[in-house]
Amino acid sequence: MRSVASLVALLGLLWLGPGQAATDWAQLSPAQREVLEPMREQWAALPGEKQDRLARGAERWTQLSPEQREHARQRLEHWRQMSPEERQQMRDKRDRFRRLTPEQRERLRERAEQFRRLPPEEQERIRQRFRELREQHRPPGEEERRLLGCEPGEPCKPPKDRRPR
């Protein structure tokens, strides 16, 4: 009997295909079920891939500190308030970032961290300078590139204003 059940389970997995195996609600940890409780009624109808993605996300959520959870809530709220065009721009930027080499990503992270360490007045002065450049439709000059740590021959983008709208 046990071998028949194993065979049925194996055939079911093969039928669903790779990455499509469904996660039964009972297989979730208590913490994951608590996070995903609003989806309980529709859980069985979700594709296996989506169930897996949600289960992983719920697991990550349980590992966050209260401060990290609050930050994530704020980011989600900001995302919800964005227009469809703004969301698409964000997706495009994410995709461009993912196409960078690991070295380019690290350099970008370092520049962003340097910018965050600047006093708020200096950050605002740099943002204002880039707004002026954008209005003039011209790329940043050597002073602006130096302030942001842009590498020679690489595009130099203005820093993001990360304050919630």
Side-chain angles (χ1 to χ4, degrees):
M1 187 65 168
R2 189 184 255 174
S3 62
V4 173
S6 298
L7 181 59
V8 170
L10 179 60
L11 289 174
L13 289 174
L14 291 174
W15 181 73
L16 288 171
Q20 296 296 311
T23 303
D24 188 65
W25 184 260
Q27 291 175 305
L28 298 171
S29 71
Q32 288 173 310
R33 286 195 300 264
E34 182 181 340
V35 171
L36 296 170
E37 181 61 34
M39 306 194 81
R40 184 180 192 154
E41 295 299 318
Q42 64 208 40
W43 185 260
L46 294 173
E49 186 177 295
K50 184 162 188 164
Q51 288 178 350
D52 292 342
R53 197 171 55 247
L54 287 167
R56 285 191 309 270
E59 183 61 32
R60 282 193 311 271
W61 182 262
T62 64
Q63 304 300 317
L64 296 178
S65 70
E67 294 81 17
Q68 290 171 318
R69 287 181 185 185
E70 181 56 32
H71 181 69
R73 280 187 192 100
Q74 289 174 355
R75 289 181 65 186
L76 179 59
E77 183 57 33
H78 178 67
W79 178 262
R80 286 179 178 155
Q81 292 176 2
M82 293 171 78
S83 70
E85 295 80 18
E86 290 172 318
R87 289 181 186 183
Q88 188 57 50
Q89 288 174 354
M90 292 297 287
R91 289 183 190 104
D92 293 344
K93 288 177 183 181
R94 178 201 59 208
D95 293 343
R96 281 197 312 269
F97 181 79
R98 287 179 176 170
R99 286 191 300 268
L100 295 175
T101 66
E103 295 80 18
Q104 290 171 320
R105 288 183 202 173
E106 185 56 32
R107 206 170 357 185
L108 192 57
R109 286 183 182 111
E110 288 171 3
R111 289 196 316 236
E113 184 56 36
Q114 288 173 350
F115 182 78
R116 282 190 284 274
R117 286 193 301 257
L118 291 174
E121 302 80 26
E122 182 69 9
Q123 290 180 10
E124 186 52 39
R125 187 183 75 74
I126 292 170
R127 283 188 191 101
Q128 181 57 38
R129 181 67 183 132
F130 272 94
R131 282 192 286 271
E132 292 168 3
L133 291 171
R134 202 175 308 123
E135 289 170 5
Q136 297 169 9
H137 302 290
R138 76 172 188 86
E142 288 307 309
E143 178 188 358
E144 293 89 8
R145 293 180 64 80
R146 185 184 53 74
L147 282 170
L148 288 173
C150 299
E151 296 293 323
E154 286 188 9
C156 191
K157 300 285 184 181
K160 291 262 186 260
D161 185 352
R162 295 184 116 355
R163 294 175 293 196
R165 293 180 185 193

